[in-house]
Amino acid sequence: MSDDLAIAARRRDGGAIFALALAVRIAVVAWAAGRFPPTADGTYYHRIAERIAAGLGYTWLWPDGVVTYAAHYPVGYPGAVGALYAVFGARPAVAMVLNAVVGALAALAVHRLAIRAAPRSRAVPALAGALVALHPGLVAYTPAVMTEGVTGSLVACAAWASARARERRPALAPFAVLGLLVGAATLVRPQALLLAPLFAGLALLGSPPGDAVRRGSFAARAARRAAPVLVTVLAALVVCAPWTARNCARMNQCALVSVNGGWNLLIGADPASTGAWAPIQVPEACREVFDEAGKDACFGREARRYIAEHPGAWLGLVPRKLAATFDYCGAAGWYLHASNAAAFTEDDKVALGAVETVFERLVLLCALAWAARMPAPTPGALPPPHPLPHPDDRARGPSLAQRALVPARLALFALGVVAALHVHAWVGYLALLGLALLQGRALLRAPMLALSALAVLAATAATHAVFFGAGRYALVVFPLLSGLAALAAARQSPEPPRAGAPHPASRAPSAPARVERRATLTAPPGLLHPRRPSARERVPPAGEPGGETDALD
């Protein structure tokens, strides 16, 4: 198949994936719209959105008739829903349709990322997109007027933007787009701000075209490296800045997005905690504090005091928190049953939870299989001069550390598989991170889909190890992790050179000088000093600007 036909086919595949994801979600919305009113946190998001749509702003009407400014919940989701309510009417179905469209974008983003990860395959990207499009937990959560599914979709789109920024270096505009997307996700879930420097750093792996970052003084090189990260973080903060200024003016305290960090930290520091949400135990020092921001600050101080006095007890809660987050999601069934137990019975909840859990455990097993494979050779690396190998190279063999990695990888893989087939899947997710880290420097050459999935998984685990866990928080990880699972089906071969990596034909060999001297007499012309490719031969590989993946977007 010619390059043009392959690009057209993948564009059609992307459109089909988006249409499939949207159709499935809209079908669920059509079934759920008249049956399931907002519940749990969704009740508050819906009411806040109603007030925003009515021009009353983010305020809260108390039972005694008092209206106060509020910022307990992040503004991003109720603000977007409120804007739609103002146009289409304050009906929960409008929020559900928003969830459906944003959820379908996640499937498209993962498909685009998978194209970059498996550029020679059409089936692997289609599988990655389909796993997100048909993920039972994500699809069934569409009727929930909640933030986790939307956050997961925004994060997947940000990862896609990170891949595009990686290909277009040293341009800074793509990093600004990445920052805007992370900023939007931050307004929905504030901890998403952690991903701004992470995603920007992942996009900087490798060298930009022409190795421009290597020229100049150390300070100049450091500035060129730091600039994309700063642009990304600043763009994210710019998105949040108007709301931060509003909080400073209205809440008697400056807060980036919301004032519930102290609440959540205190819940996660309760020695009687199960690791999940629980009614807060108000400390004596905070009983007479009624201001919303002041109470959150007081809760935060008391939580930090307890952690400082009882660090062992607090750390001992971490396994419970991770278990609450990763062992069993079940968010969709929980929400639908809590909203309308007659329309979605306990048996329905159990059945959906079983299907969802089987799907998610299979995804975890596939991700473990990807991470357990030996890393592929460095893309574009020249082969060693086989005609004259040095005797020391044959005798030396793998180092002791390299030999020790083999049983370590096998042990982690076995642990992850056992955990994925057991109750405590959280151990399997940590084993996945450990397996990836054991790839060493080869991990830095992994595709953006894999790197972003691992980064989001690590950030989610770290966040909820500090605060508290809940199954629905894992939904943020599922889109990218499903795409990573599809990579287990890809053939293990080096990726084509990305933008930022010198083309193999123009890279000088890095063999030791002694090998070069011995190979001088026998090496074919061009091996030690390859000629510069002609203009006719200088075709951009997939992943570089002007190459196949660049044309796809």
Side-chain angles (χ1 to χ4, degrees), residues 66-114:
V66 174
V67 175
T68 59
Y69 290 99
H72 182 79
Y73 291 93
V75 69
Y77 184 67
V81 172
L84 294 177
Y85 280 2
V87 177
F88 300 104
R91 299 185 300 275
V94 175
M96 297 179 188
V97 171
L98 172 65
N99 296 347
V101 174
V102 177
L105 285 174
L108 176 62
V110 169
H111 177 263
R112 289 291 193 256
L113 286 165

Side-chain angles (χ1 to χ4, degrees), residues 382-391 393 507-530:
L382 291 174
H386 294 294
L388 292 174
H390 193 272
D393 295 335
R507 183 185 297 160
S510 57
R514 57 180 174 80
V515 176
E516 182 173 328
R517 287 197 299 271
R518 289 188 284 109
T520 302
L521 297 177
T522 58
L527 176 60
L528 298 178
H529 303 287

Side-chain angles (χ1 to χ4, degrees), residues 266-297:
L266 185 60
I267 292 171
D270 185 352
S273 171
T274 61
W277 180 88
I280 196 164
Q281 303 299 315
V282 180
E284 185 65 33
C286 305
R287 292 186 183 276
E288 299 301 320
V289 180
F290 299 103
D291 175 73
E292 183 175 302
K295 185 174 286 291
D296 183 69

Side-chain angles (χ1 to χ4, degrees), residues 32-462:
R35 293 182 174 90
F36 300 99
T39 189
D41 287 355
T43 301
Y44 299 99
Y45 290 125
H46 174 66
R47 289 180 181 172
I48 294 166
E50 284 182 319
R51 295 186 66 80
I52 291 173
L56 300 174
Y58 192 160
T59 55
W60 191 255
L61 174 62
W62 296 93
D64 60 1
V66 174
V67 175
T68 59
Y69 290 99
H72 182 79
Y73 291 93
V75 69
Y77 184 67
V81 172
L84 294 177
Y85 280 2
V87 177
F88 300 104
R91 299 185 300 275
V94 175
M96 297 179 188
V97 171
L98 172 65
N99 296 347
V101 174
V102 177
L105 285 174
L108 176 62
V110 169
H111 177 263
R112 289 291 193 256
L113 286 165
I115 288 176
R116 291 163 168 82
R120 298 181 181 89
S121 172
R122 184 178 175 186
V124 170
L127 174 62
L131 287 176
V132 181
L134 301 176
H135 191 296
L138 296 172
V139 172
Y141 202 62
T142 305
V145 186
M146 304 281 275
T147 62
E148 293 80 15
V150 171
T151 304
S153 298
L154 290 173
V155 167
C157 291
W160 180 15
S162 181
R164 290 172 63 85
R166 189 182 206 180
E167 294 161 359
R168 287 157 175 77
R169 288 179 297 157
L172 294 178
F175 286 91
V177 173
L178 168 60
L180 295 177
L181 284 169
V182 174
T186 301
L187 287 176
V188 178
R189 288 186 72 78
Q191 55 265 46
L193 186 62
L194 295 173
L195 299 176
L198 282 177
F199 279 4
L202 295 179
L204 290 175
L205 294 177
S207 302
D211 290 343
V213 82
R214 297 182 182 177
R215 296 195 295 268
S217 65
F218 173 80
R221 294 196 303 270
R224 282 194 289 266
R225 279 289 189 187
V229 178
L230 290 176
V231 167
T232 303
V233 174
L234 288 175
L237 293 176
V238 164
V239 174
C240 302
W243 188 249
T244 303
R246 176 267 187 192
N247 287 340
C248 294
R250 300 298 189 186
M251 300 304 298
N252 301 320
Q253 178 177 312
C254 290
L256 179 67
V257 176
S258 56
V259 288
N260 61 11
W263 286 70
N264 295 336
L265 188 62
L266 185 60
I267 292 171
D270 185 352
S273 171
T274 61
W277 180 88
I280 196 164
Q281 303 299 315
V282 180
E284 185 65 33
C286 305
R287 292 186 183 276
E288 299 301 320
V289 180
F290 299 103
D291 175 73
E292 183 175 302
K295 185 174 286 291
D296 183 69
C298 184
F299 287 168
R301 286 193 301 271
E302 292 301 301
R304 290 189 293 272
R305 183 183 62 79
Y306 173 84
I307 293 169
E309 294 174 355
H310 307 88
W314 180 72
L315 289 174
L317 296 173
V318 170
R320 298 184 194 177
K321 298 173 184 179
L322 295 179
T325 304
F326 294 110
D327 282 355
Y328 172 72
C329 179
W334 158 78
Y335 183 92
L336 295 173
H337 181 69
S339 174
N340 187 345
F344 202 83
T345 65
E346 182 71 22
D347 290 342
D348 295 330
K349 183 176 80 168
V350 171
L352 176 58
V355 172
E356 179 185 346
T357 300
V358 169
F359 186 97
E360 289 156 5
R361 298 301 176 88
L362 289 174
V363 165
L364 175 57
L365 286 170
C366 290
L368 287 165
W370 171 85
R373 293 192 304 187
M374 292 300 293
T378 305
L382 291 174
H386 294 294
L388 292 174
H390 193 272
D392 292 344
D393 295 335
R394 290 196 300 268
R396 187 179 300 119
S399 67
L400 180 61
Q402 290 171 329
R403 289 196 296 268
L405 284 179
V406 175
R409 291 167 67 90
L410 289 175
L412 267 181
F413 178 70
L415 177 64
V417 169
V418 170
L421 300 176
H422 195 261
V423 173
H424 293 301
W426 70 270
V427 178
Y429 288 100
L430 294 188
L432 172 60
L433 293 174
L435 275 172
L437 291 175
L438 286 182
Q439 291 189 8
R441 294 179 63 85
L443 179 62
L444 302 181
R445 300 192 300 269
M448 183 60 72
L449 173 56
L451 292 171
S452 59
L454 295 169
V456 174
L457 175 60
T460 301

Side-chain angles (χ1 to χ4, degrees), residues 5-30:
L5 290 177
I7 292 172
R10 285 175 170 173
R11 282 177 174 162
R12 289 195 301 272
D13 290 347
I17 291 293
F18 177 80
L20 173 65
L22 184 60
V24 171
R25 285 160 174 78
I26 290 296
V28 172
V29 170

